[in-house]
Amino acid sequence: MSTKPMARSQRLLTRWSLHGLAQQNLARQALLRHLRVAAGLVVAATVLGACSSATELWDKVTQKDDTFVEQPAEQLYNEGLFLTNEKRDPKAGAKRFEEVDRQHPYSDLARKSLLMSAYAYYQANDYDSCIGAATRYVTLHPGSPDAAYAQYLIAASHYDQITDVTRDQTRTEKAMAALEEVVRKYPTSEYAVSAKAKLEAARDQLAGKEMNIGRYNLQKRNYTGAINRFKTVVTQYQTTRHVEEALARLTEAYMAIGIVSEAQTAAAVLGHNFPDSPWYKDAYNLVKSGGVEPAENTGSYISKAFKKLGLG
């Protein structure tokens, strides 16, 4: 038997053995890879599970209890008083008063708390909230002895927001309407006197607005526009401090456009009601410069406006 086939067979067996070993090594390595991946997945799942459990536990610990707990009306009311008067935090006090109304809407303290919340908001300069609470009080409790005060708070909230005469006067008009309500509905209340004083100041503000526009028109020689503004002051705001100047300005404007009789009337009414006014001296000199004297035409709107008030 030839040795060559034997040698060839031996070489084949050797190669097969090496190939088998290689295949075994590859299989072993693949198995190890699978085991490592599986182990990694097990570890990850364990870690994630632990994190999830920890998160759930933390959520349970930190979770807020939103369960509503009702507090006694007296406690809430007294807390509101303490915050408003002692701590000087009226806005926080108003919130406690509102809680009385929310938690105990049919209690006697709910009515008091509604008024106190309006007062607290007024002290905090939160005028819109004050107006809202006070309006609600007047609507719900119109016959209450404190309704006059609630109405006065509404008026005072508007009044405190009045702007200067160069700006919009909507707040002034709202203040006047609310103040007139105090005087009309509660004439004998302690707030009526203060309301009347504020009402005159508000009227003076509106007259000042008319004068401001009238002077501007007069400066621009828009005499008709100026007369209309000064006429408003004379016919609607005769008791304000602006009326003396308004009469003098009417004298000036009417003389400028040649309506001398109205200029004479304006000067005469000014002299009759305010003889010591420096504005009368100006009006008198202006009329005299036109060759005439102050003379009242009783049919003029100027004369009628003052006679209506018993001033003419």
Side-chain angles (χ1 to χ4, degrees), residues 44-60:
T46 303
V47 172
L48 289 173
C51 290
S52 177
S53 299
T55 301
E56 291 174 1
L57 180 61
W58 179 252
D59 288 342
K60 289 180 180 179

Side-chain angles (χ1 to χ4, degrees), residues 156-194:
S157 293
H158 286 303
Y159 181 85
D160 287 357
Q161 297 181 80
I162 290 177
T163 56
D164 65 82
V165 295
T166 62
R167 303 177 67 183
D168 180 70
Q169 296 300 304
T170 300
R171 284 290 185 183
T172 307
E173 293 169 354
K174 288 182 177 180
M176 287 183 63
L179 289 164
E180 286 169 351
E181 280 288 284
V182 176
V183 176
R184 183 179 65 84
K185 287 185 176 180
Y186 316 101
T188 60
S189 71
E190 59 185 300
Y191 310 107
V193 174
S194 178

Side-chain angles (χ1 to χ4, degrees), residues 108-254:
D108 184 54
L109 279 179
R111 178 178 59 82
K112 294 179 180 178
S113 293
L114 181 56
L115 184 62
M116 284 303 299
S117 68
Y119 165 77
Y121 277 128
Y122 180 76
Q123 292 298 315
N125 298 325
D126 187 348
Y127 298 118
D128 288 341
S129 295
C130 173
I131 292 169
T135 300
R136 185 164 173 255
Y137 186 92
V138 172
T139 302
L140 294 175
H141 312 288
S144 166
D146 295 319
Y149 181 56
Q151 182 63 45
Y152 181 76
L153 283 176
I154 296 170
S157 293
H158 286 303
Y159 181 85
D160 287 357
Q161 297 181 80
I162 290 177
T163 56
D164 65 82
V165 295
T166 62
R167 303 177 67 183
D168 180 70
Q169 296 300 304
T170 300
R171 284 290 185 183
T172 307
E173 293 169 354
K174 288 182 177 180
M176 287 183 63
L179 289 164
E180 286 169 351
E181 280 288 284
V182 176
V183 176
R184 183 179 65 84
K185 287 185 176 180
Y186 316 101
T188 60
S189 71
E190 59 185 300
Y191 310 107
V193 174
S194 178
K196 288 177 181 177
K198 281 184 167 57
L199 189 56
E200 283 304 308
R203 287 169 57 81
D204 193 86
Q205 183 77 2
L206 290 183
K209 177 72 172 181
E210 296 296 324
M211 291 299 298
N212 191 57
I213 300 173
R215 290 190 207 100
Y216 176 81
N217 287 331
L218 194 61
Q219 184 182 12
K220 297 296 183 180
R221 298 186 178 183
N222 177 10
Y223 297 114
T224 301
I227 287 170
N228 287 335
R229 296 295 179 168
F230 300 137
K231 178 180 178 179
T232 298
V233 176
V234 167
T235 56
Q236 297 182 27
Y237 306 112
Q238 303 98 322
T239 58
T240 68
R241 61 190 173 93
H242 298 285
V243 72
E244 297 175 38
E245 182 185 353
L247 287 167
R249 298 295 187 184
L250 281 174
T251 304
E252 180 182 352
Y254 280 127

